[in-house]
Each structure stands twice: as C-alpha cells, then as structure tokens.
Amino acid sequence: MELEKVYDPRAAEPEIYKYWLDGGYFKGVADTQKRPFSIVIPPPNVTGQLHLGHAFDNTVQDILTRMKRMQGYAAVWVPGTDHAGIATQIKVEEELRKEGLTRYDLGREKFLERVWEWKEKYGGRIIEQLKLLGSSCDWDRERFTMDEGCSRAVREVFVALYEKGLIYKGSRIINWCPHCVTALSDTEVEHEEQAGHFWHIKYQIKDSDEFLIVATTRPETMLGDTGVAVHPDDERYAHLVGKTVILPLMNREIPIIADEYVDRDFGTGCVKMTPCHDPNDFEVGQRHGLEQILVLDNDAKVINGGKYNGLDRYDARREIVADLESLGLLVKVEEHAHNVGKCYRCGTTVEPITSPQWFVKMEPLAAPAIEVVKDGRMKFVPERFAKTYLNWMDNVRDWCISRQLWWGHQIPAWYCADCGEITVSRTDPTECAHCGSAKIERDPDVLDTWFSSALWPFSVFGWPDKTPELDFWYPTTVVTPGYEIIFFWVARMIFSGLEHMDDVPFRTAYIHGIVRDDQGRKMSKSLGNGIDPQVIIDKYGADALRMNMISGVSPGNDMRFYIERCESMRNFANKIWNASRFVLMNLTVTDATLPDALELEDKWILTRLNAAIREVTDNLERYELGVAATKLYDFLWDDFCDWYIELTKPRLNGDDATANANAQRVLLYVLSETLKLLHPFMPFITEKIWQSLPNADGAIMVSRYPEYDAKLDFAADADAFTLVIDAIRAVRARRAEMNVPPSKRPILTVVTAKTDVFTDSRDLLRKLAYAEDVTVLSAAPSSVDGLVAVVTDAATLYMPLAQLVDLDAERARIGRDIEKTKKEIASTEGKLANTEFTAKAPDRVVQVERDKLVKAQALLANLEQSLRNL
RNA sequence: GGGAGCAUAGCUCAGCCGGUUAGAGCACUUGCCUUACAAGCAAGGGGUCACAGGUUCGAGUCCUGUUGUUCCCACCA
C-alpha cells in the first residue's frame, strides 16, 4: 500500500485513535501471568481545559504506558477527573451571578444540582482533549473523585481516621479566604511579598505617663488586641511586665506579658497580641491565658470593634490609622515589605482567624511516610525532590480539611442538639450515638478536595473492596506530577496509601517541571500567554506537539514552549513519512526478515539500530525521556535517512535482483523496528505508517517492543564502514570548498590499506562522493600530477580537479592540517607516556587513545605524502 | 532565616556512570529543485562550559567558595 504524498495529521489522527479504541488496545487486564504496570492519572479538574502542562504530563504517562504495554506488561493507565471543590464551586457561582443569583438563593440542594449539571456538561471536555493527544488510557476505568466508589472510600477513610483519633475537630487558627468564604489548609495559601507599611502606635501604660510603642503591619487587628508582649530579658521593659496598657480606640485594659517569642531587635521589641488573628499570638495567648476576641467575620468585616463594626478590613485599617493620627498616637509609619498570604484559587489575601474546623493529625501519619522515602521503598526522580518532600513532611502541621463549601464530600459528622456530642458514622445515623437523641444535625461543611485525591491510587481500583485489580496493580508503578503538587498530592497519597493500604501508593514519583511561555513566564489566564494545545495539534499534529514537549527536556526542569520547535518536529514527522514512502515505493518484497547476505552498510545500520534500541530503552527505564527522544530523532534523521537510505540507492536502482531484494528487506526491517521504538513518542504517525507496511500484523501499539540483539551487533564491520563514510564526507567537504558543482563527476582513485572495504563500497562512493568511477589501489599511482588529494586516516582519495585549485592555497591548507595533526599526536603521545594515565585509566580509555594515535599518525603520513606530491 | 535549581554557540536548551576534537533545534553563511522529503540535501562559521580554588592520570561533569538569577519552604509582629 502506498502512502499519500503528504502526511496530514489532521485527517490521520482521529481515524487512528478510533482504530485503537475499536481494537480495545487501551484496556488493562489484570492478568496475573504478566508483570503489572500501572499509572493513575493526576486527575485534572473537571473545570479544566487542557493546557500545555496537561499535554506534557500526559505525554509522559502515555510514553511510559505505551512502552510497557509493548514490552508485554499488563499495563493500565487509569484516567479520571477531580471535582476540584473550590474551583468548580466558584465557576458555578459566577454563572449564577450572571443570572443575579447567589448559591443561597438556590439553597444547598438546588445549587448542587446545578453543579452536577455543569459537571455533566463541561466535565467531559478535558477527557476529550486528552484523547486528541493520543492518550492510551483505559477509558472504561474512567473515574471521578465524587463518583460513588470514591465517595465510599472517602467516607471510610474519614471514619477510620476519626475512630483512630487521627481526625479531630478543634478551634484553631486557620487561613480564611473571605472571597471563597472558607477555611484553607496551609498548602492552599501562597505567600507573596508585598510592599506595605509598618505602623508604630503608642499604647499608654495605665495610671502612668509612660507608654509602649508597638509596631504592626495590620493595624485593624488592634481591635482584637488582648495583650502586649515583650521579651522576658528585655531590660527596657522589665519594669512594665505585669502592668497593663489602655488599648487605644477601644479603651480596653490589656496586660503586658513577657514571652520568649518576642524578638528584642525587631521593631520596638513590643508586640501587640491578637490571639484570634495571628497564629503566633494565638500560641502566646494560650500560654498566658489571654482573652480571645474575634474582630473579623467571614467576609473580613469588622465585628466586636465598636464604631468600626461593619467596615471592610481595609476601610477599617484606613479609618483606624486616621483616628490614631488625629489622636497623636501614631508615632511613625515605615515602608515595609512583608509576606502576604493569598488564596491559591482566587488570589484574595487570606486572613488568619480562629475557627472551629476539622483537622487531620499529621504526626503519626508523617512518620511512616518519611520512613519509606528514607529507606528507598519509594523513590523520587529526580532524587532532589525527596529532600523537598522530607523537609515538608518533617515540619508538617495538622491538616485543616473542612471547607465551608457545598460542592464536595460532606463531612459524615452529626451534632447532637441534646448532649452536644459528635456522631461520626459510615452510614447516615438517625440518632446520636451518645445519648440516642434524634435531634442530630449533619455538619454542613465538605472536605478539602485533596482529601479524595489522596486516596486516588487505591480508590480507583475499588478500595475499600478487595478487588483483583487492587491486588494486582497496587502499588502503582509510577506517578508523574509536577513539582508544584508535591505537597498537595504526592505527600498526601503517600501517607494515605501507607495508612489504609499498608503500602506505598507508587514505587516512583517522577516529578516534572512546568511549561513556560517563550519568555520564561508562567502561563496564566491573567497574562493571556496561555497556548491552547488544541490549536497546536490542529496545526502541527499531536505527534509534533508531544515530541516538542519531550525532546531536549531534562527531568524536573521547567521548559519553555517554542512554537517554532513544533514546526521542526512537524518537519521530523514529515521526514519519517517520506522515508517510509521511499521504502514503500521501492518495495517488491514483503519479507521484513533480514537476508543472510548482509553488505557492510547493512551491518553498519543494524549495529546503529541496535545501539539506539539499547540506549533508548535504558533511557526510558531511567525516566530520561528527553535524551531518549533526541537519540531517536538523531538515529532516524541522520543515520537512517541521510545515510542508510542513500546507501541503498545503488542497489535499489541496480540490476542485481538479489541485491535489490536484500536492500529492501534490510530497509523494511530497520524501518519497522525504528517505528516501534518511536511509537511511544509519536503514536499516530508510526501507527499510520505501520498499517501500510506489508509485514504489519495488527496494531503497532500492541506489537513487540524492540530488544537489543547480540546477533545483529557487527561492531568491527560497522567500524570498517565508518572509514567509507569518513571518506565520503571528506570528498564532499573538499568539493564544497572548491565550489565544484554536483554535476561535475570526476574519476576517483582511492589509495588505501583497506582495499577490501573500499572495493566493496565502490558503488556507494560513486553515488555519495559524486564520482564518475572509482578505482581502489593499495599504493599511490606513479604520477599524481594534476590530481587533488583528499586525505583521511584510512585513505587518500585523488580527483582530477587540479585546474580548480590554487596550489599555494592547497599547500597552506595541508600545512595547517599537518600542524593540527601533529598537535594531536603530541597530546596523545603525552597522555600515553604518562604512566599514571596508563596505569590508572581503564583499559578501554587507554585503548581509545592508542587508536587515536595510530589514526593520527596514519593521517599525518597521508598528509605529508600528498604535500610532497603537490 | 532555611533549602533547592539554574548559569554551556546569537536565542532556547541537551550533555545520562568524570574519559576521543563539547552537541541539538532555531538563526546565520555558501552551494544544490541529486525522481522519499525545499517541511529537503550537502558543506561551513560560531563556545575561556559564570568566576576562583580544590580532588583526579583526566573536570562542562565531583568538592569548596564567590557572583548573578529563579523557585520552594518558614509564625519576625
């Protein structure tokens, strides 16, 4: 079957994807006869649109899965989406706002219906987009973090942890987002340095003329001050400890306390204490029994703040500063850069407030999670991320898991109106477990969206049920998140897996960087610098996009996205296409087995192919995808297309039918193996071409992955053939220098000790070195007058082109070459004379130097001879 | 305050276990429409591998320090 003239990915890709789906090739079967390989997708948000980060991440997963599948593993790649609590709820609320409604207008039930509708409508979009990339997910296993099974897993985990005392409810300082109107965990807060002010305020000592000066970046919190702290050893204030100050504006009497927390050298050494709105003050307050006064409500408006009540936090700040100033209590205002916490979903500045929330007690869970990384049961690639992880895990604080949202897994806790106790249950209770009262009410809050993501590696396989899939595929082989979700997701999967499955969730976490724009900026909606992968796929094809993202990146590093690189990868796809066309249009045999009689150039390409197979496979096993892709690119373009295809032309166009057929068979063999090797990277085009090959038996995606074959390693012959390649290169270079047009085809005389090699390759030299005819001699002809000599270490090639040459320039050139070669000889001899080197360096390395010396000496001899002949 | 990454050709980046003359893509120069491919072929120019020390027979690669830069974590109000 012949291929069309131009490869059109737009037409081919959907067709091929359908072919795979129809063939059921993506299906993972828990076949205990085979070795398991499993990946669970980092579930994209249902709200999500495919962006380049997803494209990269999923390309990585697809490459690994496709390779393992071809290697005969029982491979499964489980897809799915995340309900993305806050993000999704915000989206739907925005939609409601356009109708002039809020979620409260609808009520919880109706609102949730809306979200589900929304999810049904848009939730599948990203899945469809993943398919455009060629993702070989087992779509029958597609899951959603709020589907029935995942919800059951969440419920089970919550109850189990509660029963173990690892989930508790308590009133503690949490991060509050006034825009999303919910608590956030520490990981959900992004810190950003911001220019601000440092207000120095006078607090009058009671019954005294003295006063303290406190400094603050958030003056509005003073409304909730319930103390002033100084360092116990600070002599400046020692006499005041135990006394009280009158809190300005509020005219409240608050104590001066001494606590080690205070840094004497920072600010004035006096710190106002606002236990309800600062985590440190909270702790100091607990130590000293300070009163807690909440002065900001859920919308960050002032409460319990006298005349400031109802003001927004920033309006309150302005008024308070103005009032302090007019009272003469504002001593000074400094410029001050400080870190402000922002909500990772909406960017609003979060407010630390005390609030009753649910927490996961981390210490007991963290210990084994640290252990498995330290003892190597689980490994990070690249390794440095283990450090990032351990550092976080070592200092982890309790995880605030309750969210004041409606979209999510509602917390299975009921409060009793009679006895005040909490009932937590696997099934919905009708009465209080403590007093039997029927007056119980369910906690309205839902769980952090990451709570369900943490269970993903086992919930997708049916946990808490014991399923054959769970048994076979858990722990998963590898997970491939970006470094930005190590804490959000990776860390939580690890301790959850260990706690509930008693084993790590994955053997390897292959962490990658993020995709940036061509200026190195993060892609974001606000910058408008995002690139839609679909547009790229449309224009260049999914294969080109994949190859662009993979080649030349190193593990864990960020990458910049250059559209021009897509173009060069599309060109690469085209190159493959045309090389395949060439093979097919010359094809009369259908036999892709190798002939017994192999020419030197056949042995050369087979040896190169073997090396490519071994190296690419090794690289993939070690997660060095970028290097693997580059090697394939080079092998296919340089070795196969630029050299081997050209080298077969004399035989394909020649009269010897057997030689012709043999060349075809080698071509077909090498092409087939190369396509297989390339398939995980560029699945569409390789499948498309494969389907046109006479030896194709089914889909390439389920063909056998190439393996290194010692029988096809012809190192010596390949080396010998390299001499011919060197000679061809040298001739071409000289011709180019002399501006000889390709149409001018001189008779080439090759003088070499390796007459057999060059005699075998006469046809090749004729074609590739543009010779009319080729004569191979073992000694220089008696007269070389009028001949131009091209010198390599293995041969001197003579061409009757002297009329084109300036003899003086020629002498100078050869002189330069001689100097260069002499230098190389000197340096090599120096190395070899160094007994330290010969004694300590590995034999292999010493041998390389010896070979180099021999070659250089041969080259020198040839150069000197041709200088004499001139 | 702690930790990490990066610094290699004009640009963007590779360089996997230390071992030939440091590579690629794009850009640039020259010559070619050679019946697979001009989305191509051939040839070429371009690098003090940030800086300073050290280890080693041998350093872009390992170690120490310096500078610049990016990021992560952290309760100096």
Side-chain angles (χ1 to χ4, degrees):
Chain A
M1 190 166 102
E2 288 231 341
L3 298 171
E4 305 96 81
K5 181 120 191 169
V6 184
Y7 176 59
D8 178 11
R10 269 165 76 159
E13 290 179 356
E15 196 181 287
I16 291 162
Y17 202 82
K18 186 172 179 302
Y19 166 75
W20 290 329
L21 282 176
D22 291 346
Y25 304 128
F26 299 161
K27 266 204 87 49
V29 179
D31 179 352
T32 50
Q33 300 301 105
K34 295 182 177 176
R35 290 167 295 177
F37 174 88
S38 52
I39 295 188
V40 293
I41 200 170
N45 292 349
V46 272
T47 55
Q49 282 263 47
L50 190 75
H51 60 245
L52 287 173
H54 294 122
F56 176 70
D57 186 50
N58 287 287
T59 299
V60 169
Q61 292 170 75
D62 199 42
I63 288 171
L64 297 174
T65 309
R66 283 180 185 271
M67 173 180 70
K68 289 292 165 182
R69 192 185 285 118
M70 288 173 75
Q71 283 180 336
Y73 285 73
V76 71
W77 177 15
V78 182
T81 46
D82 193 292
H83 66 279
I86 302 177
T88 309
Q89 176 157 332
I90 288 178
K91 274 253 160 80
V92 178
E93 285 189 287
E94 274 168 10
E95 205 181 60
L96 281 178
R97 198 167 308 134
K98 285 180 203 147
E99 301 165 28
L101 296 170
T102 70
R103 65 173 150 134
Y104 302 101
D105 293 329
L106 292 185
R108 186 169 188 136
E109 209 174 312
K110 282 264 180 276
F111 177 74
L112 286 179
E113 274 174 32
R114 271 296 280 263
V115 186
W116 276 107
E117 270 172 37
W118 196 91
K119 186 253 167 192
E120 292 310 323
K121 197 163 162 194
Y122 300 110
R125 195 170 39 178
I126 195 158
I127 293 292
E128 290 313 308
Q129 290 170 321
L130 286 177
K131 293 179 180 173
L132 297 178
L133 265 180
S135 311
S136 63
C137 303
D138 184 348
W139 298 110
D140 296 340
R141 294 182 192 277
E142 183 186 335
R143 298 296 300 269
F144 176 54
T145 50
M146 265 174 68
D147 66 23
E148 208 189 315
C150 288
S151 301
R152 206 153 60 89
V154 164
R155 181 97 176 227
E156 173 59 33
V157 165
F158 187 94
V159 177
L161 290 178
Y162 180 79
E163 286 172 349
K164 271 184 108 170
L166 293 177
I167 279 182
Y168 65 92
K169 186 164 190 182
S171 193
R172 310 230 325 232
I173 284 260
I174 47 85
N175 308 289
W176 185 269
C177 175
H179 178 258
C180 300
V181 205
T182 179
L184 299 172
S185 66
D186 295 336
T187 38
E188 287 168 309
V189 178
E190 287 171 352
H191 294 277
E192 190 182 297
E193 189 165 278
Q194 226 173 33
H197 301 281
F198 209 26
W199 285 275
H200 289 62
I201 306 164
K202 267 188 200 174
Y203 282 20
Q204 185 89 39
I205 311 288
K206 194 193 174 198
D207 301 330
S208 162
D209 295 337
E210 273 191 274
F211 50 81
L212 290 176
I213 296 172
V214 301
T216 180
T217 55
R218 294 185 299 155
E220 68 279 9
T221 61
M222 71 178 286
L223 302 173
D225 282 6
T226 56
V228 174
V230 297
H231 194 275
D233 302 333
D234 195 334
E235 287 157 16
R236 291 173 294 178
Y237 307 117
H239 63 292
L240 297 174
V241 175
K243 299 195 171 172
T244 59
V245 295
I246 305 299
L247 179 64
L249 308 177
M250 299 301 287
N251 295 317
R252 217 168 47 229
E253 192 177 330
I254 58 176
I256 300 169
I257 57 163
D259 195 282
E260 304 260 340
Y261 155 70
V262 179
D263 177 353
R264 275 173 283 181
D265 302 324
F266 187 79
T268 59
C270 301
V271 189
K272 58 192 269 314
M273 289 289 118
T274 322
C276 277
H277 296 283
D278 183 284
N280 301 305
D281 297 5
F282 181 83
E283 281 175 26
V284 175
Q286 296 244 297
R287 284 199 285 274
H288 297 270
L290 296 182
E291 196 187 341
Q292 296 190 3
I293 303 177
L294 197 68
V295 293
L296 290 172
D297 67 7
N298 290 348
D299 298 321
K301 289 199 169 78
V302 174
I303 49 168
N304 302 320
K307 67 178 252 208
Y308 304 102
N309 278 351
L311 288 177
D312 170 80
R313 52 184 164 167
Y314 298 120
D315 294 335
R317 176 180 299 179
R318 245 188 316 279
E319 294 210 7
I320 285 167
V321 169
D323 289 349
L324 287 171
E325 190 158 26
S326 63
L327 289 170
L329 297 174
L330 191 62
V331 183
K332 64 171 172 175
V333 186
E334 288 175 341
E335 297 295 318
H336 183 71
H338 62 132
N339 274 327
V340 177
K342 308 259 186 176
C343 169
Y344 84 136
R345 281 297 169 215
C346 70
T348 305
T349 300
V350 300
E351 213 47 62
I353 61 174
T354 48
S355 168
Q357 301 287 344
W358 289 91
F359 295 88
V360 173
K361 197 172 182 178
M362 285 305 301
E363 221 184 313
L365 293 168
I370 289 167
E371 205 48 42
V372 292
V373 172
K374 283 192 174 160
D375 69 18
R377 273 201 281 160
M378 200 233 105
K379 105 185 147 126
F380 279 89
V381 176
E383 238 170 295
R384 66 185 138 93
F385 289 109
K387 218 167 176 175
T388 308
Y389 165 85
L390 288 171
N391 184 46
W392 185 79
M393 212 43 127
D394 280 335
N395 301 297
V396 71
R397 295 164 64 187
D398 285 357
W399 176 17
C400 174
I401 49 170
S402 41
R403 299 288 176 274
Q404 286 61 52
L405 307 172
W406 289 349
W407 176 244
H409 300 279
Q410 194 173 351
I411 293 174
W414 283 258
Y415 303 103
C416 178
D418 286 330
C419 72
E421 292 291 334
I422 298 174
T423 301
V424 168
S425 170
R426 286 181 177 78
T427 53
D428 292 3
T430 50
E431 57 183 40
C432 175
H434 305 275
C435 70
S437 163
K439 286 199 264 175
I440 56 170
E441 200 171 332
R442 187 166 186 176
D443 192 315
D445 291 350
V446 302
L447 290 166
D448 182 358
T449 204
W450 297 98
F451 192 89
S452 52
S453 330
L455 319 179
W456 192 244
F458 46 95
S459 63
V460 297
F461 291 122
W463 190 89
D465 292 338
K466 282 189 178 308
T467 65
E469 286 84 1
L470 187 63
D471 194 45
F472 185 66
W473 278 312
Y474 190 94
T476 64
T477 314
V478 57
V479 70
T480 65
Y483 57 68
E484 75 277 11
I485 53 171
I486 291 177
F487 309 135
F488 280 116
W489 196 46
V490 179
R492 285 161 181 170
M493 284 191 287
I494 295 174
F495 68 70
S496 301
L498 288 167
E499 171 69 18
H500 308 290
M501 289 294 298
D502 204 26
D503 201 348
V504 292
F506 30 76
R507 303 275 181 223
T508 300
Y510 173 54
I511 309 287
H512 64 253
I514 60 174
V515 184
R516 297 174 175 276
D517 74 1
D518 56 4
Q519 292 167 59
R521 299 173 306 180
K522 232 170 164 163
M523 293 195 183
S524 72
K525 264 182 216 129
S526 52
L527 277 173
N529 59 346
I531 294 170
D532 184 354
Q534 252 180 281
V535 173
I536 303 288
I537 291 171
D538 226 36
K539 192 160 175 200
Y540 300 104
D543 288 330
L545 173 62
R546 292 166 63 113
M547 199 64 181
N548 176 15
M549 309 212 75
I550 294 300
S551 62
V553 309
S554 62
N557 285 4
D558 289 351
M559 71 217 80
R560 290 194 196 196
F561 188 85
Y562 276 86
I563 251 172
E564 305 86 76
R565 273 176 57 92
C566 285
E567 205 170 310
S568 69
M569 289 306 161
R570 179 208 49 191
N571 295 353
F572 178 57
N574 196 53
K575 190 75 186 173
I576 303 163
W577 184 256
N578 278 296
S580 306
R581 275 183 62 219
F582 173 82
V583 172
L584 285 168
M585 68 179 42
N586 283 290
L587 209 59
T588 52
V589 303
T590 55
D591 186 359
T593 62
L594 292 169
D596 293 330
L598 292 170
E599 298 295 331
L600 221 42
E601 64 270 27
D602 298 333
K603 292 177 175 172
W604 173 81
I605 192 68
L606 289 168
T607 305
R608 303 285 298 171
L609 172 66
N610 235 342
I613 290 169
R614 195 183 50 218
E615 290 174 26
V616 167
T617 310
D618 279 358
N619 287 133
L620 285 178
E621 300 283 1
R622 295 205 298 262
Y623 299 101
E624 292 157 358
L625 276 60
V627 181
T630 305
K631 278 180 186 160
L632 271 169
Y633 183 100
D634 291 343
F635 173 75
L636 213 150
W637 201 310
D638 298 344
D639 293 344
F640 186 64
C641 292
D642 288 346
W643 283 103
Y644 188 69
I645 282 186
E646 296 304 321
L647 291 167
T648 58
K649 284 178 180 175
R651 275 187 286 169
L652 295 176
N653 299 329
D655 301 327
D656 183 336
T658 312
N660 186 327
N662 286 353
Q664 290 182 39
R665 285 165 68 185
V666 180
L667 274 170
L668 190 54
Y669 177 85
V670 176
L671 178 65
S672 304
E673 293 301 294
T674 307
L675 288 173
K676 289 186 200 169
L677 207 53
L678 186 62
H679 178 259
F681 295 85
M682 304 181 81
F684 290 109
I685 191 170
T686 49
E687 185 71 77
K688 176 77 181 171
I689 295 169
W690 179 260
Q691 295 302 327
S692 307
L693 299 184
N695 55 317
D697 178 18
I700 196 173
M701 74 161 285
V702 290
S703 67
R704 209 198 80 260
Y705 194 75
E707 279 173 39
Y708 172 80
D709 185 345
K711 291 195 300 297
L712 298 180
D713 203 330
F714 308 100
D717 292 314
D719 283 352
F721 189 71
T722 306
L723 304 178
V724 177
I725 290 180
D726 287 346
I728 292 168
R729 283 215 170 97
V731 170
R732 285 175 182 172
R734 289 308 307 288
R735 289 177 59 110
E737 260 175 52
M738 299 188 300
N739 289 319
V740 183
S743 53
K744 185 142 188 135
R745 306 180 77 92
I747 289 172
L748 195 63
T749 306
V750 184
V751 178
T752 176
K754 308 256 181 192
T755 47
D756 52 344
V757 172
F758 282 87
T759 304
D760 279 356
S761 304
R762 280 177 60 216
D763 288 346
L764 307 179
L765 285 162
R766 198 178 295 135
K767 165 113 179 89
L768 299 183
Y770 316 105
E772 176 65 35
D773 201 1
V774 177
T775 315
V776 179
L777 303 172
S778 59
S782 51
S783 166
V784 292
D785 281 350
L787 299 180
V788 168
V790 176
V791 180
T792 74
D793 52 27
T796 301
L797 301 97
Y798 294 95
M799 301 182 288
L801 294 169
Q803 70 277 15
L804 295 172
V805 166
D806 172 343
L807 285 183
D808 288 338
E810 188 70 353
R811 279 191 199 96
R813 197 185 61 79
I814 296 177
R816 281 196 303 275
D817 286 352
I818 287 176
E819 282 317 301
K820 220 173 95 187
T821 311
K822 277 184 174 166
K823 263 189 202 158
E824 197 183 326
I825 289 173
S827 118
T828 313
E829 278 176 342
K831 269 192 196 175
L832 289 168
N834 181 351
T835 49
E836 292 256 50
F837 173 70
T838 48
K840 291 182 182 172
D843 294 346
R844 178 178 53 85
V845 174
V846 177
Q847 193 53 48
V848 165
E849 291 300 316
R850 292 211 176 99
D851 293 349
K852 199 163 96 183
L853 183 60
V854 172
K855 276 192 170 191
Q857 282 166 340
L859 181 61
L860 183 64
N862 288 348
L863 284 167
E864 282 172 340
Q865 181 60 48
S866 68
L867 187 61
R868 277 196 299 275
N869 288 343
L870 220 57

